[in-house]
Amino acid sequence: MDASAEGMDDLYVFAKEKLAVGNKVYVGLSGFSKKSTPQSEIDNDENRLMKEGRMQKKVAQKYLVLSPFDGEPGHNRARLGESWLIRQLGLDRLINERHGGAGRPPIFDEIGAVFVLVGE
C-alpha cells in the first residue's frame, strides 16, 4: 500500500492517476523529531481526515524524503515541494483545506518529507 517516491514528478504522476480514477487525494508535509516520522504524520493526517469525514479509508500512500541540498534544509525543501505539488494538481481537486497544516516549527529541520495520501 505504501511506497517511497523517486522524486517529485513520481509523486505528481501518482496523485494525478489516483484523482483520474475518482479517489480522494491529500498532499501533506512531514517533519522528523523525537516523536514524529513521515509514517506517523501520515497516520495522524489519515485519522484526522477520517474523523472529519473527508475520507472513509486509506487505499494508498506515497512519500518522498528530502535531505539538505545547497544549504537548504530538507524541511524547507519539503514545504516547497508540498506547495508545488498542490499547485500542479489544483487545490480544488484535493481534500486539503485552503489554510490547513499544523504550522508547528520542526524540531529537526535537516530532513522533511512530502506525501500523498489516497482515500475513498
Side-chain angles (χ1 to χ4, degrees):
M1 181 184 314
D2 72 279
S4 60
E6 293 182 20
M8 289 302 299
D9 289 337
D10 188 22
L11 278 181
Y12 171 72
V13 169
F14 174 74
K16 189 174 176 182
E17 288 173 351
K18 298 302 181 185
L19 285 168
V21 296
N23 288 118
K24 296 179 178 186
V25 173
Y26 177 83
V27 176
L29 169 71
S30 169
F32 283 82
S33 71
K34 294 176 186 173
K35 299 178 183 179
S36 176
T37 65
Q39 188 58 55
S40 68
E41 295 275 342
I42 293 169
D43 293 343
N44 287 342
D45 283 355
E46 175 189 354
N47 291 334
R48 179 177 51 80
L49 293 168
M50 288 177 19
K51 186 183 242 183
E52 293 172 353
R54 291 195 272 160
M55 86 167 40
Q56 300 301 313
K57 70 176 187 172
K58 177 173 73 175
V59 296
Q61 70 179 44
K62 198 171 251 201
Y63 59 90
L64 176 64
V65 176
L66 297 163
S67 56
F69 179 77
D70 200 24
E72 191 70 34
H75 194 270
N76 290 357
R77 294 180 64 220
R79 186 177 314 282
L80 291 171
E82 176 194 34
S83 296
W84 176 83
L85 190 54
I86 289 170
R87 282 192 311 273
Q88 293 302 310
L89 295 167
L91 178 62
D92 294 340
R93 297 176 65 203
L94 305 172
I95 59 174
N96 291 64
E97 293 179 333
R98 206 159 283 284
H99 298 288
R104 295 182 312 270
I107 293 171
F108 178 68
D109 71 352
E110 290 303 301
I111 301 173
V114 182
F115 65 87
V116 173
L117 178 58
V118 181
E120 293 181 336

